[in-house]
Each structure stands twice: as C-alpha cells, then as structure tokens.
Amino acid sequence: MSMTTTPPVLAPVDAPTSPAAGEPARTYLVKTLGCQMNVHDSEHMAGMLEQAGYVAATPEAAAAEDADVIVINTCAVRENAADKLYGNLGRLAGTKRSRPGMQIAVGGCLAQKDRSGIVERAPWVDVVFGTHNLDVLPVLLERARHNQAAEVEIEESLKVFPSTLPTRRESAYAGWVSISVGCNNTCTFCIVPHLRGKERDRRPGDVLAEVAALVDQGAVEVTLLGQNVNSYGVEFGDRGAFAKLLRAAGATPGLERLRFTSPHPAAFTDDVIAAMAETPTVMPTLHMPLQSGSDRVLRAMRRSYRSEKFLGILDRVRAQMPDAAITTDIIVGFPGETEEDFAETLRVVEASRFSSAFTFQYSPRPGTPAADLPDQLPKAVVQERYERLIALQDRIGLEEAQRQTGRTVEVLLAEGEGRKDGATRRLSGRAADNRLVHLALPEGLAEADLPRPGDIVTVEVTHAAPHHLVADSGAQGGTFAVRRTRGGDAWERGVTGDDAHGGDACGTGGGTPGGPAAPVLLGLPTLGRAPR
C-alpha cells in the first residue's frame, strides 16, 4: 500500500521530459545525511536523475548549493536528524526564492517516517519520497513542476531493489555493492527495521556480477553493504551464504581490496572469520557493533548476545588475523543504565582494544520500544559518562595507533580524505586495515611520478594520533614506492574525460568527465564521535 498526497493532475505526466532543443539541461545536487547505505542510495538517485537528462552541478556550484534540483537524502537514526534536515531546508528556502524554477526533494529514512509532515513544516519542499521507492524521484519532480504543487509518495514495502537502478558512482576506483536491504532484528533503540523493512537478500550471482562490473570499470576496492551483512542468505535458506559470498567476491580478477559493513555479533560465525583470514583480498578490518558492555542493558536492548560472546568473537578474529583493526558502535545512557552498567561498558572497551569507536548519547526515537521505557537518564549524567568513554577510547586509540609506528603500510590514496592536506602538503588514504594515513611526498618528485587517487603507495608510519597515522618516510629519505593501478587510471579518465567512464548513469560509472571527481568515502570513517 502506498500513501500519496497530490493535487488533481491536470494532464498525464508519467515520465520526466528532456530539455527542449536549445535549453540547457537542469542541474542537480544530492546531499547525503547518514550511513553508508544512504551514500549508496544517493548514488542511485544521481544515476536516475542523469538518466532523466539532468546534469550534476559543478563542484563550485555544489558548494554554493546552486542547482536547479537539490535532493536531501535523510537519516532518522539519531534525535538530531530532524534538526539537520530542517536546518538544511531553512537555509534553502531563501535560495529557492531567489532562483525561479528551483526544486527541493527530500528522501530517505526521515522522509519515510515523517511523510507529508515535511511539506506541512516546510511548504517550499516540492517532492517527498521514501526508502522503498527511490525509482519515482524523476517522475515526482516532473509532476511537481507540472502541477506546481508538492508531491508526496511513500510506499510501505520495497517495490524495486535499489541495485537494479541506474547509478552514478562517487568513485571510479572504489565502490559500494549492496547485498541486502532491511533488517530482521528487533533492537529496542533502533527505528531502521520500521523504515527499511524486513531483510531482502540479493541473489549471489547478481552481487558477484555487480562486483565484476565495477572491477571491469577500474575499481580496485569494493565494500559489501547490508544492515546486517552476516545474516545474508536468510531469505533463501543458506546460513553459510555470507562466508561463501566473501570468498567468491574476493576471487574476482582485478579486485585488490574487499570490505563489508556491518555485521551483528549474534550471527557472526567462525566460517566468516575463516573466509576473511583465507581470502587475501578481504582486508584485515572489522566493524563489530557493541552498543553496551552490560549484559543487563544488552538484554533491555534486545541484543541477542552478551559481553563475553562479543569478546570471544574478537579473540577468534585476532587469533587468525593478529593485525586486524576492529571498530565499533557504542550507546551511552540507554534508559535504566546504572553506573555499574556503564562500568561494564568501560571494562569491555578496555578489553576490546578498538582502533576507533562511533560513540552516541542515547536519544529516544518515537516508535521504538526504548522510547517508552522508564528511567530515561538526565542529560547531565549521560554527558558525563559520554566524556569518560571518549577519554578512554581516545587513549586506547592512540595506544593502538602508536603500535603502528615503524610499520610499512600500503595506502590506497583517496580524494577528499585529508582536510588539511593542502596546508601540510601531504596526501591521504587508507591502509589495508582501514586506518586513515596522511603521507608526505619525497622532495623533487616529478609531476609524472605523482601518485593519483586510486594508486597504492608504500610508506613507513612515522608517528600516530588517536584517529590517524602519519607516514613521512618519503620526505625523510626512507620508504616510498608508488604502484599505479587500474583504479588510478580510472580516476584519471574521469578527470580528463578521456572516455565515457566518468558519470555513467547505467550502473558502473564514476567521476565527472572534464572536472574533479567527487569526494570519495572508503570503508568506515575513523573518527567516531556523535555531534554534541
């Protein structure tokens, strides 16, 4: 069943129309709030818009939010999600008044949740669509233009698997591949199953075909995506499907790095650990959400594992991959959390030795069981515990990073990773274990020898910080070697426009011909602090 709020249609408007002869193509910008799944959904939105005749705003225009169509892909996981959305919409209201014909569309999880309430609160929004019907975006934009009124269309269940939609990849050398959508878990704090629906698994052949297509276009790194990747196969009855998929995807000719996110501790099995350890292209990194170290709180969260099981998983991972970097998610201040419960979280964090952690202060989400629990904690208590957890994890993160000093690492260079690279004259990228590395170039390096995004640079780590590593060995006369890759070639084609690879809206392209490639998100960020 779908919920549609539209005025009477004056004439049939079933598909977007291309610009009339001589008219410039309308430009678009997709702004993403939220998780990796949202980032990948935004790639689909961009692909559909390009297939409908829109063109991406230039980087300069995007920075100024100067586009004919601006799409905001929303998140609803945290309490401040609505504040982020309406802050963006409030700012865009003035832009729209000064730009005749501009349209604003809102999609994603918050759109699925709030529906027509978005237009009621921000009547200058033209289109609202949900997580289950990404494919309607171009049609709704055309209807809204035609009818000069807002279009709101929300589906209650998935109609089109997103991976079948056109895609404009953010990166020519690294890509996301969705293996499932939705979630069958019932965590009391989480609204995702309500907004994304029950788990739907793609067939293994379809996943492997997409991985192969990405690699054929130049990608050297692929990240498999799912709300709970290690429960993959539940829909077609194969409990070992995810381990088999890792091995098969990892064997794709030309693929150098394979990652995945995110698993669930309750369903994480030893065959997955073996597949990680025995498949050379699967990187030694794991994001394993803890949420709480207290068994009592885990029970209240309906997280079907306990702290000792969690620590046991980490022990078995490190037994087979001693250098694996493990990251996590932690919630502070869940309803009823006592000081003793919080002490258990600190104990498990100390024992886990996470390289980084995404830490959040609990916020009630309407529609979740936890929102109605008694004993909601005072803000001051939650804030104080949060600061203690941050201090502990910063210490551990620094200690773990310092252990990397002196190690030789292979860094896949990225674009847009290092915000201070211009000032420091360094380049940035990710090591095999997904740690962020800033590296210096040797003095006098010829321009022809400069590494490109997508190339791999071998350097030695010279010093460390809690959330990144620095490798100045090249500038100090030490280790520095560049391996030019197919990924770097693909990035260069996207920048120079030498072929049609960049901006391909048919499912495998990336980059923007004739201009700088878009910022690239690889794997998981390393800095895990929720906004205060």
Side-chain angles (χ1 to χ4, degrees):
M1 168 180 268
S2 67
M3 183 207 75
T4 308
T5 304
T6 61
V9 178
L10 303 179
V13 182
D14 296 323
T17 56
S18 299
E23 287 187 10
R26 284 168 62 77
T27 60
Y28 77 88
L29 167 65
V30 181
K31 296 171 65 70
T32 307
L33 309 175
C35 66
Q36 293 93 338
M37 193 68 74
N38 270 21
V39 173
H40 193 33
D41 282 350
S42 290
E43 292 182 330
H44 296 311
M45 295 173 195
M48 289 183 295
L49 290 171
E50 294 201 0
Q51 189 178 68
Y54 296 81
V55 297
T58 65
E60 296 77 16
E65 297 183 322
D66 182 12
D68 295 309
V69 171
I70 295 182
V71 183
I72 303 177
N73 187 9
T74 63
C75 174
V77 173
R78 310 307 308 163
E79 189 174 28
N80 63 357
D83 294 338
K84 289 184 178 179
L85 169 62
Y86 291 107
N88 274 273
L89 292 178
R91 186 177 60 253
L92 290 173
T95 306
K96 185 174 182 181
R97 284 193 296 268
S98 64
R99 184 176 180 131
M102 177 183 173
Q103 290 182 290
I104 300 171
V106 178
C109 289
L110 197 63
Q112 185 78 24
K113 173 180 172 291
D114 289 356
R115 308 183 176 214
S116 59
I118 291 174
V119 174
E120 292 168 5
R121 184 167 170 180
W124 54 94
V125 170
D126 300 277
V127 167
V128 178
F129 61 106
T131 57
H132 298 311
N133 60 338
L134 305 183
D135 57 303
V136 302
L137 173 60
V139 170
L140 294 183
L141 286 168
E142 193 64 25
R143 284 184 188 168
R145 288 180 69 195
H146 182 273
N147 296 332
Q148 297 185 359
E151 291 282 332
V152 179
E153 187 168 312
I154 305 292
E155 294 286 349
E156 300 300 337
S157 59
L158 191 68
K159 298 302 180 186
V160 178
F161 207 100
S163 295
T164 65
L165 299 172
T167 308
R168 183 186 187 274
R169 301 281 180 177
E170 280 198 347
S171 167
Y173 52 87
W176 311 98
V177 173
S178 177
I179 68 172
S180 63
V181 295
C183 181
N184 293 340
N185 294 314
T186 58
C187 303
T188 56
F189 57 82
C190 186
I191 199 169
V192 168
H194 174 66
L195 302 178
R196 291 277 183 176
K198 292 292 186 182
E199 182 172 329
R200 294 280 303 277
D201 294 332
R202 292 178 73 191
R203 303 301 298 181
D206 293 339
V207 174
L208 296 175
E210 186 175 354
V211 172
L214 270 172
V215 173
D216 285 345
Q217 290 292 327
V220 293
E221 175 173 296
V222 168
T223 300
L224 303 180
L225 285 180
Q227 302 295 155
N228 179 9
V229 289
N230 56 309
S231 66
Y232 175 76
V234 65
E235 193 174 20
F236 46 86
D238 184 354
R239 291 183 179 273
F242 183 59
K244 296 173 187 174
L245 185 67
L246 278 181
R247 294 179 185 274
T252 304
L255 180 66
E256 299 202 22
R257 294 185 171 191
L258 182 65
R259 305 185 189 277
F260 60 89
T261 190
S262 288
H264 191 292
F268 200 78
T269 49
D270 288 349
D271 62 339
V272 173
I273 300 173
M276 293 175 65
E278 296 166 10
T279 308
T281 50
V282 177
M283 294 293 95
T285 180
L286 178 66
H287 185 73
M288 184 64 71
L290 170 64
Q291 307 303 1
S292 175
S294 162
D295 290 350
R296 193 187 68 83
V297 172
L298 288 172
R299 195 173 296 110
M301 290 177 166
R302 290 187 198 153
R303 301 283 291 178
S304 47
Y305 57 88
R306 300 297 174 255
S307 60
E308 290 312 303
K309 176 173 182 176
F310 183 93
L311 291 170
I313 292 172
L314 271 51
D315 287 343
R316 293 196 299 280
V317 168
R318 286 175 169 138
Q320 297 201 46
M321 293 171 284
D323 295 328
I326 299 175
T327 60
T328 197
D329 299 328
I330 304 171
I331 296 173
V332 176
F334 188 80
E337 180 189 77
T338 65
E339 181 60 30
E340 289 74 20
D341 293 323
F342 182 65
E344 281 295 285
T345 294
L346 297 181
R347 177 187 69 84
V348 175
V349 168
E350 185 75 64
S352 297
R353 309 299 298 177
F354 299 118
S355 60
S356 67
F358 297 86
T359 53
F360 305 95
Q361 297 184 31
Y362 171 77
S363 58
R365 308 306 295 132
T368 62
D372 298 322
L373 289 175
D375 300 325
Q376 302 281 331
L377 272 62
K379 168 67 176 175
V381 172
V382 178
Q383 180 69 38
E384 190 272 338
R385 290 177 184 172
Y386 177 81
E387 291 174 358
R388 275 192 282 158
L389 176 60
I390 286 291
L392 173 62
Q393 179 53 44
D394 278 354
R395 173 178 64 76
I396 293 171
L398 178 59
E399 291 170 355
E400 291 301 302
Q402 287 171 334
R403 292 179 58 227
Q404 308 302 309
T405 302
R407 288 189 178 182
T408 298
V409 294
E410 291 189 338
V411 180
L412 176 62
L413 286 188
E415 188 172 45
E417 285 274 22
R419 290 174 294 177
K420 298 180 180 179
D421 283 355
T424 63
R425 302 187 67 185
R426 292 188 176 102
L427 301 179
S428 298
R430 299 280 171 173
D433 63 8
N434 211 35
R435 284 185 167 92
L436 179 62
V437 181
H438 305 300
L439 61 92
L441 299 175
E443 287 292 332
L445 190 66
E447 185 172 345
D449 296 326
L450 288 174
R452 308 157 297 179
D455 288 339
I456 291 178
V457 182
T458 301
V459 286
E460 182 181 309
V461 177
T462 52
H463 54 284
H467 306 292
H468 67 265
L469 304 175
V470 175
D472 285 346
S473 55
Q476 298 170 358
T479 303
F480 184 87
V482 177
R483 179 162 63 83
R484 296 173 76 83
T485 71
R486 296 165 54 258
D489 295 342
W491 177 88
E492 189 168 352
R493 290 196 299 269
V495 170
T496 61
D498 284 347
D499 64 14
H501 174 82
D504 178 5
C506 297
T508 55
T512 304
V520 176
L521 303 176
L522 293 177
L524 295 164
T526 57
L527 179 58
R529 301 187 187 195
R532 297 191 187 185

